[in-house]
Amino acid sequence: MINVNTFKQKKQNGSRLSMVTCYDAWSAGILNGTDVDCLLVGDSLAVVMHGFDSTIHATTEMMELHVAAVSRGAPDKFIVADMPFLSCSKGLEVAMDSVQRLMQAGAHAVKIEGASHQLAIIRQIIEAGVPVMGHLGLTPQSIHNLGGHRVQGKDEAGVQKITADARALEETGCFSLVLECVPNDLGECISRSLSIPTIGIGAGPDTNGQVLVLHDLIGTNPDFSPKFLRRYADVHEIIRTSVQRYHGDVVAGSFPSVEESYG
Ligand code: KIV
């Protein structure tokens, strides 16, 4: 399993990091047998697994259950867990309680969206011995403040803000930083200026690593096609046609066969 030092070493060596989301034990078991560097129990699970319309609905209880499942399924992988909506804005005690529950459930690090208003809490979490991954650019927990899912850092003020936040997160001690939906040149510029690795999603090819939502990369949702997404499979169609065939066999009486039955 890699650790926080591997993240730095990979950046120094110029090797790219791969991260993918994971929410449950069965997909964790599959990912455990791949070379992917790191699993993210992202709060996107509120949308993907629970059908909510945003990550705002993720809670610590929800995250904790999914982290535990992923940890059981992928014992060899470095697991990062998202701190859910407002868990860092309600003061140190609430934040530390969340951190404790996610780490005891099996996470090796936590990811926190945003910077400025919560640097003090991020510092305390790191000082308590817990690695923190930052997350800047499009931060889905602030979706209503951002006015929707939009590319961030398109004007000079946005560039200055994200660049300053990235520097502050590095100075505070974050071991890596997710950059979501920012122009390629901003992704590249921040990646070059930091000593910690950046992991991009919709941030161009020059970040130090990439992250995708597993369900998006295997094609479970044909209606979700952001520009940055590359689909490696069409699992929606595989599941749909498999279940259609199964249904047809049941209705026709051809399943189960004699061989599939206990004589
Ligand atoms: O929750 C999530 O899946 C994420 C990634 C998109 C980076 O934060």
Side-chain angles (χ1 to χ4, degrees), residues 21 23 40 42-44 82 111 113 135 178 180 201 211 213:
T21 61
Y23 313 128
L40 170 66
D43 58 358
S44 52
D82 258 335
K111 176 163 78 59
E113 288 187 13
H135 184 159
V178 166
E180 178 163 354
I201 173 163
V211 54
V213 169

Side-chain angles (χ1 to χ4, degrees), residues 95-123:
M96 284 302 187
D97 180 61
S98 256
V99 170
Q100 179 177 7
R101 290 170 65 172
L102 298 179
M103 297 300 283
Q104 288 181 344
H108 304 106
V110 295
K111 176 163 78 59
I112 296 175
E113 288 187 13
S116 14
H117 69 294
Q118 47 204 16
L119 287 175
I121 286 204
I122 293 175
R123 182 171 296 111

Side-chain angles (χ1 to χ4, degrees), residues 167-193:
R167 201 171 307 123
L169 287 173
E170 170 168 73
E171 282 165 11
T172 304
C174 287
F175 74 97
S176 59
L177 172 64
V178 166
L179 286 175
E180 178 163 354
C181 288
V182 296
N184 293 0
D185 52 355
L186 182 56
E188 185 199 355
C189 179
I190 292 177
S191 304
R192 261 195 293 109
S193 68

Side-chain angles (χ1 to χ4, degrees), residues 115-154:
S116 14
H117 69 294
Q118 47 204 16
L119 287 175
I121 286 204
I122 293 175
R123 182 171 296 111
Q124 303 229 38
I125 294 170
I126 295 168
E127 280 172 4
V130 175
V132 175
M133 178 180 275
H135 184 159
L136 296 175
L138 174 56
T139 45
Q141 292 173 11
S142 313
I143 202 69
H144 297 303
N145 204 24
L146 298 175
H149 288 90
R150 296 160 192 278
V151 176
Q152 301 296 306
K154 282 171 80 171

Side-chain angles (χ1 to χ4, degrees), residues 14 23 53 56 71 82 114 171 178 182 187 228 231 239 244 249:
Y23 313 128
D53 62 357
I56 284 172
S71 158
D82 258 335
E171 282 165 11
V178 166
V182 296
F228 62 76
R231 278 206 190 94
I239 293 177
Q244 279 295 84
D249 289 351

Side-chain angles (χ1 to χ4, degrees), residues 44-60:
S44 52
L45 61 80
V47 178
V48 178
M49 301 297 282
H50 294 267
F52 287 110
D53 62 357
S54 80
T55 61
I56 284 172
H57 300 275
T59 61
T60 300

